[in-house]
Amino acid sequence: MKRLLKACVVVGILLLLTIAAQQGMFEHITDSNWVAGYVREQGLQALAVLFAAGALFTAVGGPRQVIAFVFGFALGGPSGALVSTLSTLLGCGISFYLARFTIRKPLQRRFGRRINRLEALLIEQTWVKVLMVRLLPVGSNLLTNLFAGATHVGATGFLLGSFIGYLPQMLIFSFAGAGIGLSDHYQLATSIGLFVVSSLIGAHLYRSRLRKQVEDIETLDKESV
């Protein structure tokens, strides 16, 4: 029964990815003008489709910053940041649980030493350390999600740290998109201000006592590429 459930999960995700690719959603999701027009024409239905497409896009390694910029262009700074962050968080959850429930053993066989090191780093103060990884950010978002899913690290702490850590950068890119879309210098200035604040926070955290541990996480991702 468990194997059947795992197989259904994999087939379901692959089916969704195939449909999204066939419909050109991955191409459209990075086109600010197309997304803005789609939202104007379809309203809430468009938001639901774009939310799901953004989740799948980031789940397979698509840059979340692009999603934030495009959603900010189409929805405005605050709304674009919130929707894109939640969409990215869903994508994070998809890749995390895909690794945990379906490809955990293959990942452990292939990257066992690195996964064990990552687990040792994240098993305590999970949300704080994941928050740092997202804020800096270091390494690969996709590999971090997959490797964390292959550990015994708690999902709640991992996803909470990811959500909080994603927000600053998503706000920056969303306000940048909104500023360009509306020719609004205030929103562009807000984006620059957020970037400065986020950089200062990241620099402070990087110099903290967890610096060496975060560098180890970055090393893990680089070694796996």
Side-chain angles (χ1 to χ4, degrees):
M1 183 65 181
K2 192 174 181 179
R3 289 183 179 180
L4 178 60
L5 180 60
K6 289 180 178 180
C8 289
V9 170
V10 174
V11 170
I13 292 175
L14 290 175
L15 181 61
L16 288 173
L17 288 171
T18 301
I19 293 173
Q22 288 180 340
Q23 296 297 317
M25 288 307 301
F26 289 160
E27 178 181 349
H28 292 316
I29 198 72
T30 60
D31 186 335
S32 302
N33 290 310
W34 185 90
V35 169
Y38 187 46
V39 170
R40 284 195 300 270
E41 292 174 5
Q42 302 295 330
L44 290 177
Q45 179 182 343
L47 279 179
V49 172
L50 293 170
F51 183 87
L56 291 172
F57 179 76
T58 54
V60 296
R64 62 183 183 273
Q65 297 88 345
V66 171
I67 299 299
F69 184 91
V70 170
F71 280 29
F73 185 93
L75 305 174
S79 298
L82 178 61
V83 174
S84 61
T85 301
L86 291 174
S87 179
T88 298
L89 185 66
L90 177 57
C92 170
I94 289 173
S95 51
F96 178 89
Y97 281 111
L98 178 66
R100 176 147 298 183
F101 294 134
T102 62
I103 58 174
R104 185 174 189 166
K105 289 184 178 179
L107 283 173
Q108 289 176 336
R109 284 196 297 268
R110 176 67 177 84
F111 304 105
R113 182 178 61 85
R114 296 163 190 166
I115 289 173
N116 289 338
R117 287 172 58 194
L118 181 65
E119 181 170 357
L121 291 171
L122 298 183
I123 200 67
E124 295 181 358
Q125 295 182 303
T126 300
W127 78 270
V128 174
K129 293 176 185 177
V130 174
L131 167 62
M132 291 180 63
V133 172
R134 303 309 192 187
L135 275 178
L136 292 175
V138 296
S140 162
N141 180 55
L142 176 59
L143 287 178
T144 300
N145 296 341
L146 291 174
F147 283 6
T151 69
H152 294 91
V153 168
T156 300
F158 183 79
L159 294 175
L160 175 62
S162 295
F163 175 73
I164 300 173
Y166 283 151
L167 268 175
Q169 198 172 69
M170 303 302 271
L171 282 164
I172 291 168
F173 282 88
S174 182
F175 272 95
I180 291 175
L182 300 173
S183 299
D184 188 336
H185 297 295
Y186 171 77
Q187 298 209 53
L188 283 173
T190 300
S191 174
I192 295 171
L194 288 168
F195 174 76
V196 172
V197 171
S198 178
S199 298
L200 291 174
I201 294 173
H204 172 71
L205 291 173
Y206 189 69
R207 294 192 181 100
S208 73
R209 61 188 177 85
L210 295 177
R211 172 179 177 176
K212 179 62 170 61
Q213 294 174 318
V214 174
E215 286 178 340
D216 286 344
I217 295 175
E218 182 179 17
T219 301
L220 287 175
D221 284 343
K222 286 181 177 178
E223 290 177 351
S224 304
V225 174

